Amino acid sequence: MTVGAPGSEVVLETSRLLLRPWRVAEAVVQRELWTERDPRVPPHRRINADGHPTVAELEDSIRTNRLWSIGLLAVERKASRDVIGYCGLVDSGRGSVGEPELAFELLRRVWCQGYATEASLAVLEWARSSGCERLWATVWDWNTASRRVLAKVGFTETDRKEVDAVYGTTLFTTRRL
């Protein structure tokens, strides 16, 4: 599946949310996501001892990295016009060829309000309408909230796992569209 054609801009809408490309000024939201990550998340996905990634580095990644502009969409609440995280598709290389991975992460202050489920359902419909037949999602075994969201949107756990004695076991889930 091609997530987006060059020059195209994907915008998905739900009753409460807009999912759209990131804007450079929203790098502060990405930085906040990095600072809030659970200490069990591997170090390369957390702020390091030198404070990286910085807001400036994240701004640059928005400017230059198609992953942020097309694959992982900013999740904006329509009523308050604030960005609360991301949801989208990535080609992580961990699933099967041509089957992208669903990814989402929201700021802690908006957890337990149904936004991750709502955004994920919009992305699933986008994937289906783009011709995708199956999606993957990986999740740490200790991340019960994300596991609940994946179950709500129809993902089932497979027998595939990646065990890491330090950070926990990564579970592989899948969903046919």
Side-chain angles (χ1 to χ4, degrees):
M1 174 189 151
T2 302
V3 174
S8 71
E9 183 173 292
V10 175
V11 178
L12 309 176
E13 187 170 352
T14 71
S15 61
R16 300 183 296 165
L17 304 172
L18 283 177
L19 284 74
R20 55 150 178 84
W22 284 90
R23 298 176 184 136
V24 173
E26 294 159 350
V28 293
V29 176
Q30 290 183 10
R31 183 74 163 46
E32 188 176 350
L33 288 167
W34 279 76
T35 63
E36 290 185 347
R37 289 188 178 142
D38 190 286
R40 294 171 287 188
V41 172
H44 72 278
R45 299 230 27 241
R46 289 185 278 131
I47 303 294
N48 72 17
D50 296 328
H52 296 279
T54 64
V55 170
E57 290 166 337
L58 292 167
E59 288 172 344
D60 190 52
S61 80
I62 293 170
R63 275 189 211 95
T64 61
N65 187 342
R66 288 180 41 83
L67 181 67
W68 288 112
S69 64
I70 294 184
L72 291 178
L73 302 169
V75 175
E76 176 184 315
R77 292 190 289 192
K78 291 186 333 188
S80 54
R81 309 289 297 181
D82 60 332
V83 174
I84 57 173
Y86 65 79
C87 186
L89 301 173
V90 295
D91 182 8
S92 67
R94 296 173 89 177
S96 299
V97 174
E99 296 178 343
E101 183 174 342
L102 174 71
F104 56 85
E105 183 177 15
L106 299 179
L107 295 169
R108 289 179 185 257
R109 67 177 171 266
V110 300
W111 286 4
C112 301
Q113 297 179 50
Y115 294 126
T117 300
E118 187 174 331
S120 294
L121 288 170
V123 169
L124 291 177
E125 184 52 41
W126 171 41
R128 180 183 298 109
S129 69
S130 299
C132 194
E133 295 179 12
R134 182 168 72 164
L135 296 179
W136 291 87
T138 55
V139 61
W140 281 292
D141 59 351
W142 49 261
N143 190 341
T144 55
S146 289
R147 288 174 73 183
R148 273 194 307 274
V149 169
L150 290 170
K152 283 182 194 175
V153 301
F155 280 78
T156 56
E157 293 183 9
T158 68
D159 292 334
R160 184 174 171 197
K161 296 175 168 69
E162 288 179 1
V163 178
D164 185 312
V166 177
Y167 301 109
T169 299
T170 300
L171 306 174
F172 284 74
T173 68
T174 189
R175 185 185 192 284
R176 291 217 170 269
L177 299 177

